[in-house]
Amino acid sequence: GTNYVLAQSFNFASLHTKGVDVETAYRTNLRDYGLPGAFTLRGMATRTIHAVSDPGVPGTTPSEGAGNMTGSTPKWKALVTESWDDGKLGVSLTERWVSAGVFSNEYIECQTNCPLPTAAHPTIYDNHIAGATYVDLGATYRFAKDSMLYFKIDNLADRGPVLVPQTNLSIGINPALYDVIGRSYRAGVRMSF
């Protein structure tokens, strides 16, 4: 008889995530207070508790991605919008926020008397990467039943992206978490036929 050996790839890698999403909204008719229109406050936030990536290869160590600002999983991320609308005119202000984090959760931050670094846990002088807040402004004007003009300014303060050091030849910023465009304008007309 002939013996055969079957050799094929098998993916042992895993990603375990744990977190909480929160959403809330409040709307009030300002006419009840002698003012025109209605005011709406809406907020959404995500708290990532864990995002553990395990390559599944013997000799490797699982890594915690929550709060690692070189990836796409900050510990906190939020979006809050305040808007006013009277049926004809609408104005909104939106805040986009991402919490501060670290270059890597596996690094040991120290300045003096540092332990010997290892491949799994190297030492680093400053492991902190700042968070960011961006403010957007928008408005709409309904000039007919099914037609409106709109404009939007993203990143109103023209805040630059936070520098995220990289070991490769990247541009040193993380577009998954930070605004890399700067202030941008949009305007147009929406019509229904």
Side-chain angles (χ1 to χ4, degrees), residues 68-107:
N68 179 343
M69 304 307 272
T70 60
S72 59
T73 315
K75 286 196 176 183
W76 281 99
K77 190 172 187 178
L79 178 78
V80 177
T81 301
E82 305 86 17
S83 59
W84 173 85
D85 189 319
D86 75 350
K88 191 168 185 97
L89 180 66
V91 179
S92 67
L93 194 65
T94 301
E95 297 83 28
R96 298 175 284 141
W97 174 75
V98 60
S99 65
V102 295
F103 182 66
S104 172
N105 288 305
E106 310 312 318
Y107 285 8

Side-chain angles (χ1 to χ4, degrees), residues 4 8 28 42 87 89 116 134 144:
Y4 293 97
Q8 65 184 32
T28 187
R42 183 172 183 217
L89 180 66
L116 289 175
Y134 303 100

Side-chain angles (χ1 to χ4, degrees), residues 174-190:
N174 184 350
L177 298 179
Y178 301 104
D179 186 318
V180 297
I181 295 174
R183 185 182 305 125
S184 63
Y185 305 86
R186 289 189 304 270
V189 178
R190 289 190 188 107

